[in-house]
Structure formats: C-alpha cells, structure tokens
C-alpha cells in the first residue's frame, strides 16, 4: 500500500513550523530546502548578529536542532525544487530526483529585491536575506567604512543601527519622505529618524538611486538629482518579492504571491502554501494581503497542517511584528490604515510611547515604542475589536486594557 | 552517570503530562522546550517580544535566578496567567546548575 506523504518545499520559518505541526501525521513528512546546513532564525541576521564579533555563523540559533527532525522522523532533503507536476503528484528536484506527494506545502519564502540599476551587482553591494548574506555583510561592516544603505524600511534601519554602532560612516538613501513610511505613521517615523540621527546616521529623503559606480568594487552611489555618495559598502533594503514562480509555472493561482485561503489552501486542494510567498485572499472577510512576518508564517503553517490532519482551524491571531533599533523596541499589532484616527499614549520624549490607530471607534492597530505592557494589552483589544474610550486610552495613568467605554446601562 | 554539565529537568506540559528532558549547555530553556516538542510557540525566537514561552518554576528557583529584565516583567505582568512568584519567560532563562532537577510547567495558552 502506498504511504501518505506530505512534502514541504522550504525549511524556513513557515516550512519548519508546518513540519513541527505535522508531527502527529501518521505518514511521511519530507522537508526540502535549497540551502544546506541547519535551519535558522532570520530575525537575528539583521540585528545582534551584525554587531557580534567573531567568526562564522555559530551564533545564529537554529529553528530546530537537526536531531529534532531525526527524532520526529521528519526527512530532510537538500535540493532545489524546480517544478511541480500536479497531475502526477510529484516534485522534481534539480539533479534529477523526484519525490511523490499526497499533499504538498509550498513555503519558499521571498527574495530580496535587487538594485536593478547600472553597477547594482558590483562587489560591495549587499542584500540581506540568508545566513550567508549576513556573514558577508558582518565581515564588510568595519569601523570607519562608508556604508550607504538604500531603503529606510525595517531591514535598512536595523542594518543602519548596527553599522553606526560598529563605527561606520552611515548614510541612508530613501525615496519616500520619512523612515518606515510603508509600515508606520508620521510620529513613529519621526521618533526613529531622530534616534538614528543621534547615533550619527545621515538620512537623505526623496532620493532616487540611479546608479552605482566603481571599478569592480563599489565606489559611490548616484541619485537622480545628480548627487553622489562615496561608499565602501552598499546595502539594498528595498523590499522582497514573493517566490511564487514555482507555483505559477504549475498553474496555481498567483497574484503577487501564491493565492491561499484561510486554511492556507491554494487553488489546488492538494497543495497548500504559507509564509512570505503567499497572498491571503478571503473575499468574505474582506482580506487580500501579503504579509512578511514570522507571526503570519507560523499562523499559516499551523492552518495548513491542521487542514491536512483534518483538525479544526486555530483562532485567528492578530498580525504582529517587531523590530529593534539602537536598543529601542518597536512592536506593531494589527494592520493600520493611513486614514485611521491617531491617538498618542505617552510622550516620545520619554522614550516610551504608544500610537493607537482607531477605526470606527475601535482599536484597529497599534505601535508601541518601548512599552511591552501596552503591546500585550492592546493586542487583545484589537483581537476583540473592542470599542475604545479615546480619552482614557491617551491617559497613561489608566491601563490600556481598561480604556474601554463604560457599559451602557439599558433603560426600558 | 551524570556529569557536572548535564542538566536534567522535569517538564509538565499543558495537558498535565510530565517528562524528563536533558538541557544542553548553551541553550535557553525555551530552546530546550521547543527542541523537546513542548508546546511553546516562541514566535519571537527568544527576543522577549511575544510571551508565548511563558513557564512556571518553583519560587526558590525564580529567586535564585535573580532579576527579570524590564521587558520580561512587562510582558509577564500582562499575561492572564502571571504569577509573580513563579512566572518566567523561558527564552530569558539560561542553563544553570540551579535548574538541575527542577520542575518547569508550561503556562496555559493566552486566550
Ligand atoms: C534579515 C531579516 C530579518 C527579519 N526580521 C524579522 C523580525 O524581526 N520579525 C519578523 O516577524 N519577521 C522578520 N523577518 C521576516 C521573516 O523572516 C519572514 O517573514 C519569514 O522568514 C517568512 O518565512 P518563510 O518560511 O515564508 O520564508 P523563509 O524563512 O525565507 O524560508 C523559505 C525557504 O525556502 C527555501 N526555498 C525557496 N525556494 C526553494 C525551492 N525552489 N526549493 C527548495 N527550497 C526553496 C529558501 O532557501 C528558504 O530557506 C526578517 C527577515 C529577514 C531576511
Ligand atoms: S520566545 Fe518570545 S518572549 Fe520568549
């Protein structure tokens, strides 16, 4: 009799989480990844790791020790999946090997967007996505080097913080008019811009990078207004693109991400997808989005595993994300919209402030700077779509969890 | 035979079942729990950002381990199951001799 097999493509945050969640699956579980060696946590790559002295990559924590996979009889295969034959239920791996699946989980993640400009592939230009990228970048960040970072998003800013602390001359070129403009509001951007400026990082906003010059190795970065920024190291932090090509070639529905439903199922009932590579579309709930976060990758992986095992879907978790820059922690919960009402709780001047995003009288999202208690309490209010008393919420002497309107006493 | 570096702890899972596991040097308690398949989500990878690695230890051990960081305390204090005497974020606990033979109870999931 043929055995049921779940094949997982990708051993990153989503793929490994799905494998762990399938531990109770009676059949085989096979995880394939093009990268060799232990699985690993990605968040440290742009944070403490860059500042850590020392050799190699020993300090990057694994997602699970290799022994874990052996203990759980999860098979690990090293190789790049090149195509999927959905009719034959086979994945083809570079080099000629094929593996049959009963159910397939695609978790191939995303690829960092490269600088497609003249000089974009000179040596000295770095992207930051993998363990190897992080090792190369760490070795390049040396005191006194001139580091030009393109993009003031999470990755660009985390790298800027590390570079500045190491003692590099750090410049961030950003097309928008403020930092993290895609993910947060003006007050939070302003606070982080100041924080980085105080640590010696220079920002240039409205900067469109057009070319990088150098003879083999980078020498300077050019912008559309004719300016030129001398550089020994260039780091591109200009976003990621979903790895959806494999799915697209296999004829699955794809639109800037592999389209999945709330169970992480693709347009083929035997194929699931989770993590950075996906776009969650749930017309009924009005959801159509792509998220790049550990929380989302784990939640989608859990849903895929539950669906395969026939168990109930877990409860929806509020999307959340964190970043640490110069020791200051920014935690975001929920998904804000630019037209949300902004309510400040606390003062940035005190190094501790929460920005609440209120929509239709309810807490929709929040950013906490240095306040973890507000994060946890607020995340619960968001999950429950709780009506919020805006005046109370702005008052730090009242706990955020208690900033809700008094219950209406019903009159007959 | 137990060597000086070997730490064995007794872990009580959410369903009440308990089991002894070996704690490898260099790992945090969270990593040990996760590697041994206990239900700690640990979404933040051990950076004291998520509180999904909340455990209870004996008060005497919590005392011996010393101060919790501000971040850890803030997260713990907001959890529904916070116990001032016994709560820790397992990702913030490193292997110590003090923990040999200790009982670690995985805190209930937040609602
Ligand atoms: C430097 C850095 C810092 C980050 N910091 C944070 C943070 O602080 N908080 C947060 O929430 N998120 C953070 N993220 C984002 C987070 O890491 C991603 O959202 C998450 O890793 C997505 O998980 P995934 O499994 O979809 O993709 P990945 O973890 O990227 O894993 C995908 C895996 O699939 C493999 N693969 C791809 N194609 C194939 C193929 N054809 N065949 C075989 N294998 C394949 C890849 O090599 C990779 O190993 C960070 C990301 C980076 C790069
Ligand atoms: S793993 Fe997130 S707080 Fe411990």
């Amino acid at each position: 009799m043929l055995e049921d097999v779940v094949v997982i493509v990708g051993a990153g945050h989503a793929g490994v989480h799905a494998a762990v969640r399938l531990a109770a699956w009676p059949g085989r579980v096979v995880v394939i990844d093009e990268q060799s060696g232990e699985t690993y946590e990605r968040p440290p790559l742009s944070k403490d790791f860059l500042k850590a002295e020392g050799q190699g990559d020993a300090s990057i924590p694994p997602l699970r020790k290799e022994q874990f996979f052996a203990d759980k009889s999860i098979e690990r295969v090293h190789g790049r999946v090149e195509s999927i034959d959905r009719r034959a239920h086979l994945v083809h791996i570079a080099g000629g090997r094929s593996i049959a699946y009963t159910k397939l989980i695609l978790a191939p993640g995303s690829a960092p967007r490269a600088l497609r400009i003249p000089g974009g592939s000179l040596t000295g230009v770095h992207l930051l996505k993998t363990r190897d990228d992080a090792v190369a970048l760490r070795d390049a960040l040396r005191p006194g080097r001139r580091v030009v970072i393109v993009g003031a998003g999470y990755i660009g800013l985390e790298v800027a913080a590390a570079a500045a602390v190491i003692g590099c001359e750090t410049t961030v070129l950003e097309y928008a008019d403020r930092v993290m403009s895609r993910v947060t509001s003006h007050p939070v951007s302003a606070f982080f811009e100041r924080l980085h400026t105080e640590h010696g990082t220079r920002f240039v906003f409205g900067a469109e990078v057009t070319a990088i010059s150098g003879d083999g190795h980078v020498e300077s970065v050019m912008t559309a207004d004719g300016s030129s920024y001398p550089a020994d190291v260039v780091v591109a932090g200009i976003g990621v693109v979903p790895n959806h090509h494999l799915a697209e070639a296999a004829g699955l529905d794809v639109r800037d991400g592999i389209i999945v439903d709330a169970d992480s199922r693709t347009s083929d009932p035997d194929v699931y997808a989770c993590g950075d590579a996906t776009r969650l579309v749930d017309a009924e709930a009005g959801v159509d989005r792509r998220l790049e976060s550990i929380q989302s990758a784990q939640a989608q992986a859990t849903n895929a595993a539950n669906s395969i095992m026939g168990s109930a879907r877990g409860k929806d978790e509020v999307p959340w994300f964190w970043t640490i820059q110069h020791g200051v922690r920014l935690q975001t919960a929920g998904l804000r919209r630019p037209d949300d009402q902004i309510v400040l709780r606390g003062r940035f001047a005190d190094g501790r402030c929460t920005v609440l995003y209120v929509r239709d009288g309810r807490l929709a999202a929040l950013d906490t700077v240095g306040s973890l208690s507000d994060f946890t309490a607020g995340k619960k209010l968001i999950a429950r779509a709780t009506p919020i008393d805006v005046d109370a919420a702005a008052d730090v002497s009242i706990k955020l969890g208690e900033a809700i309107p008094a219950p209406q006493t019903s009159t007959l | 035979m137990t060597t000086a570096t070997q730490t064995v702890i007794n872990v009580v899972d959410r369903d009440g079942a308990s089991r002894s596991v070996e704690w490898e040097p260099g790992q945090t308690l969270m990593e040990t729990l996760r590697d041994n398949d206990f239900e700690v989500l640990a979404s933040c990878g051990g950076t004291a950002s998520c509180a999904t690695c909340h455990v209870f230890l004996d008060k005497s051990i919590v005392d011996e381990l010393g101060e919790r960081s501000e971040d850890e305390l803030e997260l713990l204090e907001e959890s529904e199951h916070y116990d001032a005497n016994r709560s820790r974020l397992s990702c913030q606990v490193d292997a110590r001799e003090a923990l040999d033979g200790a009982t670690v109870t995985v805190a209930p999931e937040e609602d």
Side-chain angles (χ1 to χ4, degrees):
Chain A
M1 201 184 79
L2 280 174
E3 199 185 6
D4 280 343
V5 186
V6 178
V7 168
I8 301 173
V9 180
H13 282 273
V16 167
H17 197 73
V20 170
R21 288 286 167 152
L22 282 165
W25 169 258
R28 281 169 63 203
V29 176
V30 183
V31 185
I32 309 169
D33 201 288
E34 64 196 351
Q35 294 182 53
S36 59
E38 274 194 328
T39 60
Y40 57 94
E41 293 270 359
R42 281 181 203 270
L45 301 182
S46 51
K47 302 181 177 75
D48 285 345
F49 175 76
L50 291 178
K51 292 178 276 180
E53 294 274 338
Q55 301 302 305
D57 53 21
S59 63
I60 302 172
L63 285 167
R64 291 292 186 285
K65 282 183 307 185
E66 265 334 282
Q67 188 58 38
F68 174 87
F69 298 103
D71 290 347
K72 293 281 156 199
S73 304
I74 296 168
E75 294 166 53
R76 294 265 277 123
V77 173
H78 173 214
R80 178 172 178 78
V81 173
E82 285 190 325
S83 64
I84 303 164
D85 183 340
R86 291 198 287 130
R87 282 181 60 186
H89 277 62
L90 283 173
V91 296
H92 299 296
I93 302 172
R97 183 171 172 196
S98 299
I99 299 179
Y101 66 83
T102 316
K103 302 281 181 192
L104 177 64
I105 300 179
L106 297 175
S110 55
R113 194 174 280 132
L115 280 169
R116 294 198 189 289
I117 52 172
S121 51
L122 288 171
T123 54
V125 179
H126 294 254
L127 299 173
L128 180 50
K129 181 71 191 172
T130 65
R131 173 165 47 200
D132 290 349
D133 294 340
V135 170
L137 181 56
R138 186 188 59 184
D139 291 345
L141 297 178
R142 289 277 164 266
R145 294 238 170 113
R146 295 161 304 177
V147 178
V148 173
I149 294 159
V150 185
Y154 290 129
I155 296 281
L157 292 177
E158 288 179 1
V159 171
V165 166
I166 289 164
C168 303
E169 219 177 89
T170 312
T171 304
V172 179
L173 306 178
E174 165 61 53
Y175 189 72
D177 60 357
R178 59 189 176 96
V179 306
M180 296 187 279
S181 62
R182 201 168 60 89
V183 293
T184 193
S185 58
H186 281 86
V188 178
S189 294
F191 172 80
F192 277 92
E193 184 189 332
R194 204 174 325 116
L195 177 70
H196 284 271
T197 307
E198 280 165 7
H199 282 85
T201 294
R202 171 168 64 140
F203 287 96
V204 182
F205 295 105
E208 187 191 342
V209 174
T210 50
I212 299 173
S213 71
D215 187 7
H217 194 280
V218 294
E219 279 162 22
S220 61
V221 180
M222 259 69 73
T223 52
D225 64 356
S227 309
S228 156
Y229 300 88
D232 304 304
V233 179
V234 176
V235 185
I238 53 173
V240 298
V241 287
N243 285 332
H244 60 211
H245 316 94
L246 200 56
E248 192 171 31
L252 296 168
D253 287 352
V254 162
R255 175 167 45 87
D256 183 36
I258 308 167
I259 293 179
V260 294
D261 65 13
D263 282 321
S264 305
R265 215 187 272 255
T266 68
S267 50
D268 177 337
D270 287 336
V271 182
Y272 294 78
C274 43
D276 279 11
T278 68
R279 167 175 293 275
L280 172 63
V281 178
D282 183 346
E284 223 167 276
V287 172
D288 186 337
R289 67 175 181 228
R290 197 160 63 74
L291 292 179
E292 298 143 16
S293 76
I294 308 288
Q295 176 276 326
S296 165
Q298 285 186 335
Q300 287 188 311
T302 301
N303 292 343
N306 284 357
S307 174
I308 287 172
M309 292 194 295
S311 30
R313 193 161 80 225
K315 62 176 185 326
D316 287 341
E317 203 197 332
V318 173
W320 73 272
F321 195 90
W322 82 101
T323 172
I324 299 176
Q325 297 163 25
H326 287 302
V328 178
R329 188 190 283 278
L330 167 64
Q331 300 220 152
T332 296
L335 301 168
R336 80 180 241 288
R337 289 194 207 139
D339 55 350
D340 290 337
Q341 179 190 353
I342 289 183
V343 179
L344 286 191
R345 176 175 164 80
R347 287 167 9 118
F348 279 108
D350 302 332
R352 189 182 165 100
C353 188
T354 297
V355 182
L356 305 167
Y357 304 101
V358 179
R359 197 180 305 153
D360 304 327
R362 290 160 198 277
L363 188 59
L366 57 71
D367 284 322
T368 63
V369 174
S371 172
L372 282 162
S373 48
D374 281 357
F375 173 73
T376 321
K379 195 156 154 272
K380 286 179 192 161
L381 295 181
I382 296 165
R384 295 176 195 146
T386 314
I388 189 146
D389 178 334
V390 166
D391 292 332
D395 182 347
V396 285
S397 69
I398 299 172
K399 282 190 161 192
L400 182 54
E402 287 155 15
I404 51 181
Q408 300 287 314
T409 38
S410 63
T411 46
L412 281 180
Chain B
M1 193 192 78
T2 44
T3 63
T5 54
Q6 195 181 24
T7 306
V8 177
I9 51 173
N10 183 37
V11 185
V12 183
D13 213 346
R14 292 211 173 105
D15 56 12
S18 79
R19 167 156 76 88
S20 288
V21 298
E22 213 176 285
W23 186 345
E24 286 187 20
Q27 287 197 311
T28 65
L29 177 54
M30 179 276 279
E31 289 172 289
T32 302
L33 296 177
R34 203 165 66 167
D35 278 351
N36 285 287
D37 206 18
F38 290 98
E39 263 200 73
V40 285
L41 192 56
S43 351
C44 78
T47 57
S49 307
C50 71
T52 60
C53 66
H54 183 183
V55 296
F56 303 121
L57 296 166
D58 283 346
K59 180 177 186 309
S60 58
I61 293 172
V62 169
D63 290 345
E64 192 162 335
L65 288 172
E67 292 283 291
R68 291 170 273 214
S69 74
E70 228 172 272
D71 285 347
E72 179 175 353
L73 255 185
E74 270 195 44
L75 276 175
L76 285 172
E77 281 169 359
E78 283 295 330
S79 342
E80 280 156 58
H81 308 286
Y82 175 58
D83 177 336
N85 290 319
R86 301 171 58 234
S87 286
R88 287 293 317 245
L89 293 180
S90 56
C91 67
Q92 304 300 306
V93 178
D94 291 321
R96 299 267 188 90
E97 271 170 42
L99 285 142
D100 196 28
T103 294
V104 178
T105 305
V106 179
E109 214 163 355
E110 292 286 293
D111 132 59

